[in-house]
Amino acid sequence: MPFPLSRPARMAVLASGRGSNLQALLTAFPPGDPLGSVVLVISNRATAGALAIAEAHGVAARYIPCGRDRQGFEQAAAQALDQAGIDLICLAGFMRLLSPAFVERYAGRILNIHPSLLPVFPGLNAQQQALAAGVSVSGCTVHWVDAGVDSGPIVLQRQVPVIPDDTVETLSDRILNEEHRLYPEAVRLVLQGGIP
Ligand code: GAR
C-alpha cells in the first residue's frame, strides 16, 4: 500500500463521458492541495465532456482511442501515466474493462466509482438493474479495481432511496449527486492512508 505519501499525490482520471465525477475530484483536490491533485485526464472518446473539463482547468488531457485494440490503448495509457508520475488512477465513468495485466501493473492504485451498492448490480446499466429488481434502496460504491467486473474490495458506499415513480433518469441523478460527495471522500481516505 503506497499511501500515505510524503508529498502531494499525482492523480489521473480515466473517463469516457460527461465528466461530472472528474469535476467533483478537481473541485475537491485543487492544484496545490497538499494531499494531491488531478494532473492527467485520459479518455477513450474524443468528444468526452471530461476532456473539455480537463482543458478548462489547465489539466493535461489525452484522447487515446480504444476500439478493438485494447492492448494499444493500455500501452499508450501506461506510457502517459508513467511519464506523468501518477500515484493514483481514478476511473470515473470509464466504460471499458481493463486487462488483468494492466490492473496488476497498477495494483492497489486504481479506484472506480459505480452507481450501485456493490456487489449487487455490477456491470452496465446499474440503475436500470436496480429498478428492474424493485429494490427500495440503491446507491453508489467506490472500490479498488481488480481483474473482475466491479468486484474489487470496497472503500466506501452510500445509500440512496429508490422512490416509487423513479425512472432511470431520476434515480441516476439522485445517485450521481451522492457520487459527487462519495468519490472525493473515498480518495481523501485513501490518500491519508486510512484504507488497507
Ligand atoms: C457515473 O454514474 C458512474 O458511476 C458511472 O458512469 C457515470 C459517469 O458519470 N460509471 C459506471 O457505470 C461504471 N460501470 P460522469 O461522466 O458524469 O462522471
Side-chain angles (χ1 to χ4, degrees):
M1 176 72 177
F3 307 106
L5 302 173
S6 52
R7 54 174 173 75
R10 296 174 64 76
M11 294 187 269
V13 173
L14 268 59
S16 302
R18 177 177 52 190
S20 70
N21 277 291
L22 164 66
Q23 179 63 65
L25 291 170
L26 286 165
T27 304
F29 299 98
D33 188 308
L35 209 46
S37 49
V38 178
V39 298
L40 175 65
V41 173
I42 296 175
S43 182
N44 60 314
R45 279 191 47 229
T47 56
L51 290 175
I53 291 173
E55 278 161 11
H57 283 76
V59 170
R62 283 281 311 272
Y63 160 56
I64 303 176
C66 180
R68 282 193 209 119
D69 181 22
R70 181 170 74 177
Q71 209 185 342
F73 170 85
E74 290 187 347
Q75 268 169 11
Q79 195 180 19
L81 292 164
D82 294 348
Q83 258 171 19
I86 296 302
D87 302 299
L88 182 66
I89 301 166
C90 299
L91 308 186
F94 182 67
M95 303 311 276
R96 300 299 302 242
L97 288 180
L98 295 168
S99 72
F102 188 91
V103 169
E104 179 60 33
R105 177 176 182 148
Y106 298 102
R109 293 198 286 145
I110 313 179
L111 291 172
N112 181 42
I113 187 154
H114 183 79
S116 79
L117 294 175
L118 291 172
V120 290
F121 314 137
L124 293 177
N125 305 318
Q127 304 93 334
Q128 170 77 60
Q129 293 185 55
L131 289 177
V135 295
S136 57
V137 175
S138 189
C140 45
T141 303
V142 174
H143 65 96
W144 292 110
V145 172
D146 67 9
V149 178
D150 301 323
S151 56
I154 289 169
V155 174
L156 281 182
Q157 283 186 313
R158 190 80 17 99
Q159 294 189 353
V160 170
V162 181
I163 293 168
D165 285 338
D166 262 338
T167 61
V168 171
E169 287 71 31
T170 59
L171 179 59
S172 299
D173 284 352
R174 197 174 310 117
I175 293 174
L176 191 65
N177 219 21
E178 210 48 55
E179 291 183 40
H180 296 158
R181 284 190 276 268
L182 189 71
Y183 213 173
E185 218 178 289
V187 167
R188 192 168 297 282
L189 259 180
V190 164
L191 295 181
Q192 288 170 337
I195 298 290

